[in-house]
Amino acid sequence: MLKKCKEKVFRANLQLVENKLVLYTWGNVSERDRESGLVVIKPSGVSYAEMTADDMVVVDLDGNVVEGQLRPSSDTPTHLEIYKAYPEICGVTHTHSTFATSWAQAGRDIPFYGTTHADYFYGDIPCARALMRQEVEGEYEKNTGLVILERFQKDGLKPMEVPGVLVKSHGVFAFGKDAAESVHNATVMEEIAKMAFLTESVNPEVSRADRAMMDKHFLRKHGANAYYGQAKK
Amino acid sequence: MLKKCKEKVFRANLQLVENKLVLYTWGNVSERDRESGLVVIKPSGVSYAEMTADDMVVVDLDGNVVEGQLRPSSDTPTHLEIYKAYPEICGVTHTHSTFATSWAQAGRDIPFYGTTHADYFYGDIPCARALMRQEVEGEYEKNTGLVILERFQKDGLKPMEVPGVLVKSHGVFAFGKDAAESVHNATVMEEIAKMAFLTESVNPEVSRADRAMMDKHFLRKHGANAYYGQAKK
Amino acid sequence: MLKKCKEKVFRANLQLVENKLVLYTWGNVSERDRESGLVVIKPSGVSYAEMTADDMVVVDLDGNVVEGQLRPSSDTPTHLEIYKAYPEICGVTHTHSTFATSWAQAGRDIPFYGTTHADYFYGDIPCARALMRQEVEGEYEKNTGLVILERFQKDGLKPMEVPGVLVKSHGVFAFGKDAAESVHNATVMEEIAKMAFLTESVNPEVSRADRAMMDKHFLRKHGANAYYGQAKK
Amino acid sequence: MLKKCKEKVFRANLQLVENKLVLYTWGNVSERDRESGLVVIKPSGVSYAEMTADDMVVVDLDGNVVEGQLRPSSDTPTHLEIYKAYPEICGVTHTHSTFATSWAQAGRDIPFYGTTHADYFYGDIPCARALMRQEVEGEYEKNTGLVILERFQKDGLKPMEVPGVLVKSHGVFAFGKDAAESVHNATVMEEIAKMAFLTESVNPEVSRADRAMMDKHFLRKHGANAYYGQAKK
């Protein structure tokens, strides 16, 4: 069942290790199969070195396990809230990558400081608020998804223009049109977070880059008139 | 004698190199054999590349060498104080890993800033006080163990809830139910120390994460009702 | 056509990956063929792992594709402005390398702090101003080249004495007598940028190194009486 | 001639690359042959990847090339001043390693902050003053050696107790009883420099570790009653 999708999710999870975004089992990637609407996700607490594509778990949008011998990632309800709110998202990556998580722990949005950022994120990378006690003690992982949605809705953000978010005191969630793209965006977030830290160290008075630069770089790569890369066939 | 335990301690010491926690011979791992109560530890000043499982040294809790051609690690008395005080600890790792040792040199506890921390440490990671002149000039390595115990007792800390400690002006000691788990915890301490440094750089006004978050993350992984990972069989 | 030059440009682009100057497709290298005056450059948005020497694109100084199935790098017009202004430059590298780009985002020249710097750069490494809105909305990539030239001309800099430049809110451009040398200089810029960041962290009151030191180190390596390295045959 | 010594110097130079202390040709190691009093050193500006043991150059203490097809390192006169002043030194390493060089650029001694430091350096790691204009314009490399000696003599330092030094605005020189030990000490200096930078970042008010700790750690490893490591046979 969903053999190809499992293979993609499996490979995307291994990519986390190759891109040095995770220690031990500190991350997980999922993908929504567009046809069936089901979600394939990494099993909980299984090491990347030992797991196989067949270990990937299939769940429906309510979190019921449809196929798989293992428990799905404990963060599954967070992924599902994101999928339910945004049909265009079909890949979600969660990490505790070093620099981006440090911004999350610091509780700050990552400011737009340059074109590296604007090539992927159309504006600051938001940091969602910390969960309140009752949200933590209730359906914690589901509520983590809800504070992400709250932030996107409050600021009118579009997840394909801002394909990633921090959660205060926690870590990183990145989005994509599939599992691989969400890992790509999580990798970029880590690099942007590192550069933003260094930028402020080198110049504590730095201000955001110009809006015109942001429009130019995001749109030359992602807009209707994009001219970066090769023409799509 | 204790062939299996020597093999485990040997592998755990090599893990220090793979996880980039040590330069040269700057670290050592031991394990207490639950049955005999004896401790197997790395020999002193022997390079990781040259040593074999057979080089591991067996000592009793008083520090007498029970088996082995080589001198045990000069830090052996520190390990032994920890084992004597806490029967639940059966693995100890000592390192000078870069970021965690920098916190030790700075003489600061590592504050609880997020869930990465709470997944392993139920509260701040303590920094034991520096030894006083007479403690240094007396049984130095044993006294290093005693200031660790002093700190745990003073604050009422449980080593399986806070499985690691810094010693001021010195370095890192991590605990576990066996050698491998103590290395795992030492690896996590290094990453948490790095993130805490970055977190404070990004936001010098940052305060600790919420207590509810700490309870949630530590207990979903370690408590009686833990639901992270796969069910134990 | 220009088979040898394509091979050199191909290898120089791969060197960006080996030297850890790029993530994904975030960099490009070109070389001007001295005989024909044509420029060979990396194709746009093609991954380093998949591309071959044959994929390199040949353009003339007006940006017309003379040979190649793929679109040239979107940054081609920046490269061309540099080649047109300085006949001695026959290699250009563009990267978003972490530390140097952070200085670019900070909008600061990298001060001359020591001999590592002076072995390659005869003075501070300049940071060209950000483009204005109309420059961004017009011929953006060409104008990026023009602000670089503006800075060199304003300060009377010679590109073979200062073989690299930052562009505010953007990244790094490095020069050389061929593609390989421009990559070499981009690699050095990244290291110098890292050291300058650390130097200011360790001593916020630091001032530039002495002019005599700068003359000595640059000229013992690059001047008419250079004595570093082996005699040229 | 000095075949074994050339092999040792060759391997020690390659160790610089393995230990990530050098970019390109930014470092050199020499060894003094105790019997002949001659010094074997890396040739100038030759890449580590291409050179062979036979390329090592033999010079006498006056800098005359006794054997070798290639020019010796341009830093040879600095090495020779050190050998002439201290008969106990038979290995010298020069690098521009990132963190230690940043302290040199900052013009600061590296303070003794912990046992990692004291295991190798019996007190702060000194930073020799910058050369004055006439010293730079005169016999520059020889004068670099002289400011190192000046600092050791002024402070009454012994090079086997403080086996390394920074030179302001320049880089690192480390000493040893042979080439390999000098590389070992250069590697340690880089790590200590990194930790000291981090220590001050984590606690800007930090003060030096206690003298008793310094005595204990240096002497348990290097003194007449050393008990670290295995008994020398």
Side-chain angles (χ1 to χ4, degrees), chain D residues 205-221:
Chain D
E205 308 303 321
V206 67
S207 48
R208 281 175 182 68
D210 293 338
R211 171 74 195 222
M213 206 82 151
M214 187 171 98
D215 288 341
K216 182 68 189 179
H217 268 263
F218 190 78
L219 299 174
R220 81 173 190 172
K221 207 163 168 180

Side-chain angles (χ1 to χ4, degrees), chain A residues 184-225:
Chain A
H184 188 120
N185 287 329
T187 307
V188 171
M189 279 176 78
E190 177 65 1
E191 179 68 10
I192 289 174
K194 182 172 185 182
M195 280 185 183
F197 153 69
L198 291 169
T199 298
E200 295 188 352
S201 296
V202 166
N203 182 0
E205 309 303 321
V206 67
S207 49
R208 282 175 180 69
D210 293 338
R211 172 73 196 222
M213 206 83 149
M214 187 172 98
D215 288 341
K216 182 68 189 180
H217 268 263
F218 191 79
L219 299 174
R220 81 174 188 171
K221 207 162 167 180
H222 303 276
N225 300 312

Side-chain angles (χ1 to χ4, degrees), chain B residues 71, chain D residues 122 161 215-228 230-232:
Chain B
R71 284 187 197 162
Chain D
Y122 194 46
E161 288 181 0
D215 288 341
K216 182 68 189 179
H217 268 263
F218 190 78
L219 299 174
R220 81 173 190 172
K221 207 163 168 180
H222 303 277
N225 300 313
Y227 58 91
Y228 178 94
Q230 303 301 321
K232 304 285 190 318

Side-chain angles (χ1 to χ4, degrees), chain C residues 25-150:
Chain C
T25 58
W26 301 3
N28 44 73
V29 186
S30 69
E31 181 168 304
R32 161 159 55 186
D33 176 60
R34 281 178 197 273
E35 217 164 303
S36 64
L38 297 172
V39 170
V40 176
I41 193 164
K42 180 184 176 295
S44 180
V46 174
S47 90
Y48 302 102
E50 289 169 16
M51 80 188 179
T52 67
D54 277 344
D55 290 334
M56 300 302 105
V57 184
V58 183
V59 299
D60 65 22
L61 286 182
D62 296 322
N64 302 306
V65 174
V66 176
E67 195 196 52
Q69 303 298 315
L70 300 167
R71 283 186 199 165
S73 164
S74 54
D75 298 307
T76 301
T78 314
H79 291 238
L80 297 181
E81 287 309 309
I82 294 167
Y83 286 128
K84 283 192 278 184
Y86 295 111
E88 65 271 38
I89 297 180
C90 285
V92 173
T93 291
H94 171 50
T95 78
H96 292 240
S97 68
T98 312
F99 286 87
T101 298
S102 297
W103 281 85
Q105 292 193 158
R108 288 186 57 199
D109 298 354
I110 304 179
F112 160 56
Y113 284 136
T115 65
T116 321
H117 183 123
D119 279 337
Y120 290 88
F121 291 86
Y122 194 46
D124 293 357
I125 299 175
C127 180
R129 66 170 173 81
L131 278 70
M132 289 176 290
R133 172 169 289 275
Q134 60 273 33
E135 291 169 324
V136 172
E137 293 176 348
E139 296 181 85
Y140 170 63
E141 291 84 3
K142 177 183 174 138
N143 291 333
T144 299
L146 293 180
V147 298
I148 291 172
L149 303 182
E150 174 187 308

